[in-house]
Amino acid sequence: KKKALKRSDDGIPGLEPPSFAGVTLINLPTTETPRRGEVLFRVSHRFYYSTSSGSGQMYGLDGPAFVLLGLEYGIRDCASVSLGRSNLDDEVELSTAVVLAREGRDFSLPFSATLRAGVALTTTRPEERDLFDADNLHLLAQLALSRRVTNRISLLVVPSYAGNTRAPRPGSNRENTIALGVGARAVVFEEVALVGEWIPVLSGFEMDVETWGLGVEARKGGHVFHVFLNNAYGLTPNRYLPGGDLLDGGDARLGFNIYRTF
């Protein structure tokens, strides 16, 4: 008898499950995209207060939060378009993703590669500034490179560019940010994994501390859940690439991501 081929999460015989379960690790984009005809609904949530705020603020849970709601549609198996809105300065982000290579399938490459590019528009602005003024626009480009080291461990490297990252801050001049995000995912159980990322700035505008995050991922049916600690409240690349706002290395805030594919 012929041995049955192992089926991946993509339903493709003979292939291992994808290196990453979601389209983001925590903040960083992964090499995954929705398949053709699929719609992915995203909820990303960052509590503003840090865990060090104590019981008076329920360790960060009792207070304001920044939320991003988004939709991503698979135009093809290797291309998608997404639209999201964050309540942080009422920012709207439009982007597209193109899978350039999949590990072991295209040109026998030892890694996967996906390019994400788009633009974010900050709609909260001074009255004297037009909506589409250059100070409100942020060009974004990120090349996600991933490799499955073992059946349980996957690595991610994301060279990133975000334009006009300094302009949203009062009294500041325009400045761009180039960063190199790195991350990892380690499967603990069949549907549970640990995730972590770190985003050092290479050049341009940067905050006082580099963005980092560490959390747990769970998959159930068509859902992917992330619950994590991180030091930044930004939800779009032009917000989280320059760095975080919590200066104490041990301080962090709670956040979560929810993805549902239809």
Side-chain angles (χ1 to χ4, degrees), residues 15-81:
L15 294 181
E16 296 291 334
S19 298
F20 295 92
V23 296
T24 68
L25 189 60
I26 292 177
N27 289 308
L28 291 173
T30 70
T31 49
E32 302 304 317
T33 62
R35 300 304 182 189
R36 182 175 182 176
E38 289 183 344
V39 176
L40 183 145
F41 175 61
R42 170 187 176 184
V43 179
S44 291
H45 189 287
R46 309 288 187 269
F47 291 99
Y48 178 74
Y49 290 122
S50 70
T51 54
S52 64
S53 59
S55 58
Q57 296 291 343
M58 283 293 293
Y59 302 96
L61 299 178
D62 185 14
F66 297 111
V67 180
L68 183 145
L69 302 178
L71 290 172
E72 185 166 353
Y73 176 72
I75 303 172
R76 301 175 61 87
D77 285 347
C78 60
S80 65
V81 62

